[in-house]
Amino acid sequence: MAVQAPEQSSDAAAPVALGPAAALSCRECGARNPLGPVFACAECFGPLEVAYDLPGGDPEGLRKRIESGPDNIWRYAPLLPVPADVAGRPNLNPGFTRLVRADNLARELGVTGELHVKDDSGNPTHSFKDRVVAIAVEAARAFGFTTLSCSSTGNLAGAVGAAAARAGLRSCVFIPHDLEQGKVVMAAVYGGDLVGIEGTYDDVNRFCSELIGDPLGEGWGFVNVNLRPYYAEGSKTLAYEICEQLGWRLPDQIVVPIASGSQLTKIDKGLKELISLGLVEDRPYRIFGAQAEGCSPVSRAFKDGHDVVRPVKPDTIAKSLAIGNPADGPYVLDVARRTGGAVEDVTDEQVVDAITLLARTEGVFAETAGGVTVGVTRKLLQDGVLDPSLTTVVLNTGDGLKTLDAVAGSARPSATIRPSLDAFRDAGLA
């Protein structure tokens, strides 16, 4: 991703009110920058994130306010960079997806404590990306953008297309040319422009970084570039929901898939915010990152003891995680090491096996990213890295209907028979 912050018109850069958001803080030097459509620090060109003046001093009152809110991410509006009236605006209202108590899977894996699957396939476009895009849309509105855009490995393209359609904005999204057909169709059906780029996701992202600094990109809000500080905050709502659904308590262990790495780092940020606000008891938790072996630069850096992530060329069926140069890679390493977690990877074969394992034990059909987290969870348990006696949450970030090709070879009819009882008996299924 380019590091130079794009210039915007004076109208787009005008000060805005986004709830408790106070400034954009540099993750490297700590410098505070005014709220605006920028993603790089004016002092050191480090990445920016939203800094807040969060409500404090009355955790019980805040907890009751959240619990009385809508059954979507806007129940957490007091903790997000969105206007106070966000729930009444045209949007897709994602979030508050189910937390599945996975006792069958636990028995299969030898887990004696609580095991839960946070199933984000229930979002409007069937992936967690609806969360982050919902926040980005509000920033786009505040900054006066008329076109919503992104670089995407698939799920984000669909989320942007749907959210833009609902908000009355134009969309133009960019994807690698060889994505799964289901994701291509879902991104195109909302009526915006969908552009395939010859190359990998990293090639697509570089192209978007060039477009954002060109007059062609004037008036465009790229959710994961110039709106990235706001967009990324949507992942915090996963942390909020998990803790609320656990009865306002922290999980002991959480396993998160890694694409750019932003989801993992923002889940950590969300957990820390809940602690600081007194909404949950302050106690240790461990965060684990999950990658596919064919695109595992963060896992490799963790195992080698490095602080930087060396880019790779992706080669995996888990295309939604196929980012060879993850922007938040170094910060993922920091979180994993600080919390006592780890970053691990699994083969494509293990991903497919984990998808079918989750489906047959809990009735949850995960896309390949969910297969990665379940597969890594099993591997970490087998290696003695995850504690089987503790409360563990595993993330499924998308619907298996988006990646049917991954399991099409093994998920077939048990038999094809004539319509007679004798044929059914002969098939050995009675």
Side-chain angles (χ1 to χ4, degrees):
M1 182 181 292
V3 294
Q4 185 167 351
E7 295 183 0
Q8 299 290 340
S9 68
S10 57
D11 289 341
V16 296
L18 288 172
L24 296 179
S25 177
C26 179
R27 298 168 77 179
E28 290 296 321
C29 73
R32 289 170 75 89
N33 297 257
L35 295 175
V38 293
F39 57 92
C41 176
E43 300 293 329
C44 73
F45 297 103
L48 298 175
E49 69 175 355
V50 179
Y52 296 92
D53 291 327
L54 292 175
D58 183 16
E60 187 59 31
L62 179 57
R63 189 181 293 114
K64 290 180 179 178
R65 180 180 175 186
I66 290 171
E67 292 174 344
S68 66
D71 290 336
N72 53 55
I73 62 171
W74 306 132
R75 67 198 287 115
Y76 307 110
L79 312 180
L80 296 171
V82 295
D85 64 346
V86 63
R89 297 179 173 217
N91 55 62
L92 295 179
N93 298 326
F96 219 64
T97 54
R98 59 180 185 160
L99 184 69
V100 179
R101 175 69 180 257
D103 291 341
N104 297 330
L105 179 62
R107 283 191 292 272
E108 189 91 9
L109 298 179
V111 172
T112 56
E114 294 180 29
L115 179 63
H116 300 264
V117 175
K118 181 58 173 171
D119 183 17
D120 245 23
S121 66
N123 278 311
T125 69
H126 307 286
S127 90
F128 93 95
K129 290 296 187 181
D130 291 319
R131 297 174 180 273
V132 290
V133 172
I135 307 298
V137 166
E138 295 310 314
R141 284 170 166 154
F143 300 133
F145 290 120
T146 56
T147 297
L148 206 63
S149 186
C150 69
S151 53
S152 174
T153 58
N155 284 328
L156 181 57
V160 167
R166 176 67 175 142
L169 299 172
R170 180 205 173 199
S171 68
C172 183
V173 300
F174 301 88
I175 59 173
H177 70 286
D178 60 348
L179 283 186
E180 302 97 334
Q181 186 63 18
K183 291 180 180 177
V184 173
V185 171
M186 192 165 193
V189 75
Y190 299 109
D193 291 312
L194 176 67
V195 181
I197 300 291
E198 296 177 357
T200 67
Y201 170 81
D202 298 290
D203 296 318
V204 179
N205 204 33
R206 281 191 292 271
F207 169 79
C208 289
S209 295
E210 293 176 12
L211 179 58
I212 205 170
D214 189 274
L216 288 170
E218 186 175 351
W220 287 38
F222 285 79
V223 301
N224 51 348
V225 188
N226 59 349
L227 297 177
R228 186 177 183 85
Y230 313 94
Y231 156 94
E233 294 296 289
S235 288
K236 296 191 310 181
T237 60
L238 280 162
Y240 300 159
E241 288 178 20
I242 288 168
C243 290
E244 182 179 354
Q245 290 169 323
L246 286 175
W248 293 107
R249 60 188 174 98
L250 294 168
D252 298 307
Q253 303 171 138
I254 183 167
V255 185
V256 185
I258 297 172
S260 72
S262 176
Q263 183 184 69
L264 186 149
T265 61
K266 296 308 179 186
I267 285 175
D268 176 62
K269 183 179 181 182
L271 295 177
K272 290 191 293 184
E273 287 175 353
L274 293 180
I275 292 171
S276 69
L277 291 166
L279 294 175
V280 297
E281 179 186 354
D282 184 3
R283 59 183 180 79
Y285 60 87
R286 303 166 73 199
I287 298 183
F288 298 82
Q291 293 199 291
E293 186 179 90
C295 186
S296 53
V298 187
S299 174
R300 178 51 51 199
F302 181 85
K303 293 174 183 177
D304 290 344
H306 295 161
D307 295 326
V308 296
V309 176
R310 182 178 180 180
V312 301
K313 185 176 181 179
D315 182 17
T316 173
I317 62 170
K319 294 184 183 296
S320 61
L321 305 183
I323 298 179
N325 188 18
D328 271 35
Y331 302 106
V332 169
L333 296 173
D334 291 342
V335 170
R337 289 169 177 152
R338 173 175 55 79
T339 65
V343 185
E344 186 55 89
D345 56 82
V346 286
T347 66
D348 282 356
E349 292 76 13
Q350 290 171 317
V351 171
V352 172
D353 188 52
I355 292 172
T356 58
L357 171 64
L358 179 60
R360 69 175 173 81
T361 56
E362 299 298 342
V364 176
F365 185 19
E367 72 160 17
T368 48
V372 170
T373 53
V374 174
V376 164
T377 299
R378 177 162 56 182
K379 187 173 183 179
L380 291 171
L381 285 165
Q382 291 171 343
D383 292 344
V385 179
L386 272 175
D387 188 333
S389 68
L390 300 180
T391 298
T392 303
V393 176
V394 179
L395 266 61
N396 171 44
T397 52
D399 196 318
L401 291 174
K402 295 188 174 194
T403 56
L404 289 172
D405 287 350
V407 294
S410 57
R412 296 176 175 177
S414 301
T416 301
I417 64 171
R418 299 184 311 277
S420 72
L421 293 176
D422 287 341
F424 183 58
R425 292 189 187 94
D426 292 343
L429 302 175

